[in-house]
Amino acid sequence: MCAPTRKAPHMQLGLIGLGRMGGNMRERLRRAGHEVIGYDRNPDVSDAPSLEAMVEGLSTPRVVWVMVPSGDPTRDTVARLAELLEADDLVIDGGNSRFTDDFENAKVLGEKQIGYVDCGVSGGIWGLENGYGLMCGGDPKWVERAMPIFDALRPEGPREEGFVHAGEVGAGHYAKMVHNGIEYGLMHAYAEGYELLEAKDIVKDVPGTFKAWSRGTVVRSWLLDLMVDALEENPHLDEVSDYTNDSGEGRWTVEEAIALGVPVPVISASLFARFASRQQVSPAMQAVSALRGQFGGHQVMTLAEGIALREGTVPATPAKHDKVAHDEQSFDEKGKASERAFERASEANVQTAADAVEAGAPPATQRTDEADTALGTERAKHSD
């Protein structure tokens, strides 16, 4: 899509933070005819040598957009602007600040009669050409003053399809927070579908399947288009790590849901799945394995055995398990019996795995799942 061509009153803007998004926003605004004086600590991209110089280069009443990391960097920048700006100037925080920070930022600036608007921005690296989705919070008079800037940044088309004045101070970042929580859930649903398709032997074209959903289906979306692009570049996602970071907004969304008593099981599950992706070993599943050994005499594998079975190899010998010490004799006897059960189960497991590998049989977990499914189906026939 081409850069915006809509006619808008010429404005001057100070823009702090010229990273991937900030730099592209500066370019989009300039293409729309606005004057932007950018400041960044990287002198290679900065228009002004200092924050003070940027402020001095702006005509009053000034409008300054802050596009720096959330937390202390944003709070410190707003506090500095409170010292440099004057009454009737305006500060817009377009970063990913937590909405509760907006209350304090507005208070700090309001004491100097400086306006404040929080603006959630979505669009990423595509925003330069496609435009940015904007969600604002603040007093209507301040939002209206910056409207030419918002109109230049948002996508072409009706304003309400790319911009919203969501409510009071904090509402913009709150809306962006929920937006990102929804994004977590959507991405994870596509990801689970991908894994299921990849696991089924009769499905031969997973990228093509996703692409076929691009038009005419209810799951079509820009995220789906991006998934298609990723799979066309790398059909099996070879060498792509499953380690996944989370932004603060996903956590804040779940925290807000708890505070307000709103059930968000999908968003919560997608957030926790990202936590799980960072674990080389799951302590929770270690505890489950240990408990199965205690109550059922099931084999408690060592880490090495688990890794070997995941990789499709077979350990040469069963793992040696240390006896669990108990204070009471009766518990000690149970511990010895459990230890013997461990050893027998380990020997059986290793032999079963060896037989399966030699015969080319499906993994034990798959066979167990198939048996459980069959049993569940049979029970369902006789249930009320």
Side-chain angles (χ1 to χ4, degrees), residues 229-291:
D229 290 343
L231 292 178
E232 287 183 339
E233 293 174 7
N234 189 352
H236 302 292
L237 303 181
D238 296 326
E239 299 302 316
V240 176
S241 172
D242 64 338
Y243 187 106
T244 307
N245 284 314
D246 67 284
S247 67
E249 289 150 311
R251 298 184 186 214
W252 302 337
T253 302
V254 174
E255 290 171 3
E256 273 296 292
I258 294 170
L260 298 176
V262 176
V264 290
V266 173
I267 294 173
S268 299
S270 64
L271 174 66
F272 296 144
R274 296 193 181 197
F275 294 169
S277 79
R278 301 170 209 164
Q279 294 181 310
Q280 292 183 339
V281 175
S282 169
M285 296 313 297
Q286 286 179 301
V288 169
S289 182
L291 283 169

Side-chain angles (χ1 to χ4, degrees), residues 36-366:
V36 182
I37 302 176
Y39 169 70
D40 194 278
R41 291 195 294 181
N42 179 1
D44 294 334
V45 299
S46 187
D47 302 317
S50 66
L51 187 60
E52 291 80 358
M54 185 207 72
V55 170
E56 291 172 2
L58 297 171
S59 302
T60 57
R62 307 174 185 89
V63 179
V64 177
W65 188 299
V66 179
M67 203 69 185
V68 301
S70 61
D72 288 339
T74 294
R75 288 190 287 266
D76 293 345
T77 300
V78 169
R80 185 69 181 126
L81 288 172
E83 299 173 356
L84 296 173
L85 298 179
E86 302 172 356
D88 205 36
D89 289 344
L90 170 63
V91 173
I92 303 169
D93 176 13
N96 288 329
S97 295
R98 185 183 174 99
F99 73 97
T100 49
D101 285 353
D102 295 318
F103 307 147
E104 185 61 26
N105 290 340
K107 179 181 178 182
V108 168
L109 294 169
E111 291 173 352
K112 303 289 184 68
Q113 288 77 53
I114 300 168
Y116 180 78
V117 170
D118 59 286
C119 184
V121 181
S122 180
I125 59 175
W126 300 90
L128 173 59
E129 300 300 332
N130 296 342
Y132 301 90
L134 305 173
M135 298 142 267
C136 290
D139 189 290
K141 74 173 183 178
W142 299 119
V143 173
E144 187 60 32
R145 177 185 291 185
M147 193 57 70
I149 297 297
F150 297 141
D151 278 338
L153 288 172
R154 67 175 174 82
E156 287 286 342
R159 178 184 288 171
E160 63 271 17
E161 293 181 4
F163 170 87
V164 64
H165 180 191
E168 302 172 2
V169 165
H173 280 142
Y174 197 95
K176 178 58 164 45
M177 175 192 74
V178 175
H179 166 280
N180 279 28
I182 293 170
E183 181 184 294
Y184 275 40
L186 289 172
M187 283 195 289
H188 205 75
Y190 287 133
E192 289 181 356
Y194 165 79
E195 183 172 359
L196 190 58
L197 289 167
E198 277 281 297
K200 192 61 177 175
D201 57 355
I202 63 174
V203 179
K204 306 302 183 184
D205 187 359
V206 175
T209 301
F210 273 88
K211 193 167 188 176
W213 298 342
S214 298
R215 295 172 60 191
T217 78
V218 296
V219 299
R220 65 189 185 275
S221 70
W222 185 32
L223 275 176
L224 178 64
D225 294 341
L226 295 175
M227 184 72 176
V228 170
D229 290 343
L231 292 178
E232 287 183 339
E233 293 174 7
N234 189 352
H236 302 292
L237 303 181
D238 296 326
E239 299 302 316
V240 176
S241 172
D242 64 338
Y243 187 106
T244 307
N245 284 314
D246 67 284
S247 67
E249 289 150 311
R251 298 184 186 214
W252 302 337
T253 302
V254 174
E255 290 171 3
E256 273 296 292
I258 294 170
L260 298 176
V262 176
V264 290
V266 173
I267 294 173
S268 299
S270 64
L271 174 66
F272 296 144
R274 296 193 181 197
F275 294 169
S277 79
R278 301 170 209 164
Q279 294 181 310
Q280 292 183 339
V281 175
S282 169
M285 296 313 297
Q286 286 179 301
V288 169
S289 182
L291 283 169
R292 291 182 77 242
Q294 289 293 326
F295 73 72
H298 302 290
Q299 180 206 7
V300 179
M301 298 185 193
T302 64
L303 289 174
E305 283 181 313
I307 292 171
L309 289 172
R310 283 195 180 100
E311 293 176 347
T313 58
V314 180
T317 58
K320 299 296 184 182
H321 297 278
D322 294 332
K323 178 173 69 66
V324 178
H326 298 281
D327 293 331
E328 299 181 22
Q329 182 63 29
S330 59
F331 279 81
D332 186 55
E333 290 302 318
K334 291 179 181 178
K336 290 178 180 178
S338 182
E339 180 186 0
R340 291 192 295 272
F342 291 161
E343 292 173 353
R344 288 194 298 272
S346 184
E347 292 170 358
N349 188 81
V350 169
Q351 184 58 51
T352 299
D355 293 343
V357 170
E358 183 176 351
T365 53
Q366 181 177 333

Side-chain angles (χ1 to χ4, degrees), residues 3-4 15 18 21-34 36 128-129 132 152-153:
L15 179 58
L18 302 171
M21 284 190 70
N24 282 345
M25 289 168 64
R26 174 177 62 177
E27 178 60 23
R28 187 172 174 89
L29 288 168
R30 285 176 174 172
R31 291 181 186 180
H34 298 294
V36 182
L128 173 59
E129 300 300 332
Y132 301 90
L153 288 172

